[in-house]
Amino acid sequence: MTKNYGPEYIRAIAPYQAGKPIAEVAREFGLNEANIIKLASNENPFGVPESAKQAMADAVAELGRYPDANGFDLKGALSKRYDVPADWITLGNGSNDILEIAAHALVERGQSIVYSQYSFAIYALAAQGVGAQHVVTPAKAYGHDLAAMLAAIRDDTRLVFIANPNNPTGTFIPAAEIEDFLAKVPSHVVVVLDEAYNEFLAPQDQFESAEWVKKYPNLLVSRTFSKAYGLAGLRVGFAIAQPALTDLLNRVRQPFNVNSLAQAAAIAALNDKDFLQKGAENNTAGYQQYVAAFDKLGLQYVPSFGNFVLVKVGDDAGAGARVNLSLLKQGVIVRPVGGYGLPEWLRVSIGLPEENEAFIEALTVALAE
Ligand SMILES: *Cc1c(COP(=O)(O)O)cnc(C)c1O
């Protein structure tokens, strides 16, 4: 008889479904890797900034040593950029690490975590990983319903996760609504504001959430170098919170959770304004390209504030999987979102103009089949 190892709440975890790697799709469908287009994981279509490559090359010589466990230089650069003291910053092995660390540091088994339907998959995993109760509020127009989230907070709630912009739906909550929410959340609840796509916001939507951290001791802002900064493979993210929270996060995180190359590359990327600018412009143009094509194809989509769009490719529950399979056969990798409860939809990242065009052509073919 097989023994059941581990606690029940760990055995109940459904593993995270990552975007398919290019090599895997090539093997599975007998395609040439060079002809495959991956628009599945909201990665930066320009890849790694040259500035970051140079910084990593310079850092290679020191790889025989452990990384700086305190990330002195990177925290210094972030402290300057966000105008907060360096000891308000926690580095993470990607911001997924930050989200998990927050759950470990702040939530006891049996206590509850509040998050929204159709929000980032990691929230459910982080909650499950600590044996927390999930309080999932229904989405409003595919985004967060902050009033419902506020009302859902219980005495045993310790954490609220908010993705802004949200993944996989691309919805956005304006600054005023978040501030209003923060002002009303009970002080025993920590709000994790996950801003993985913040850098893609248009100037009129931008706000500096680090400023709110100064006002709200129960706010933790999470950011990443994986999207706009083009460093997804390096795994580096960070949290900004007041010292009482930061101190707790630092007790839970692995001492060397961010490696030396990642620290060096992140500093370079943070200061690479041209790279960010180029990415933002490409994103705006690519979004228009998608929206025009979806309108032409008569497809519903959720207006997006990130570097991806959620598009409805059919009316039956098999639509997402069916169109996805056709796209894969044509060498285009996007993200099915059936696991999010959106089986009629696909999420597609914004790539370079020619990649977007290839996706649109493949989608047109898929829909005609
Ligand atoms: C991509 C993403 C992240 C970032 O993940 P990393 O671990 O930093 O690569 C975090 N939150 C959301 C909502 C995301 O979409």
Side-chain angles (χ1 to χ4, degrees), residues 24 79 93 117 156 175 205 220-221 223 237 279 288 300 344 353 358:
E24 190 182 316
S79 157
N93 191 253
Q117 180 189 26
D156 69 2
D205 294 325
L220 187 159
V221 169
R223 295 287 192 92
Q288 296 307 336
Q300 184 190 347
E344 306 95 347

Side-chain angles (χ1 to χ4, degrees), residues 93-96 99 120 123 163 167 194 196-197 224 226-227 235-236:
N93 191 253
S95 56
N96 278 314
L99 306 175
F120 192 38
Y123 307 155
N167 173 18
D194 176 4
Y197 302 97
T224 182
S226 296
K227 311 282 161 55
R235 314 303 304 126
V236 47

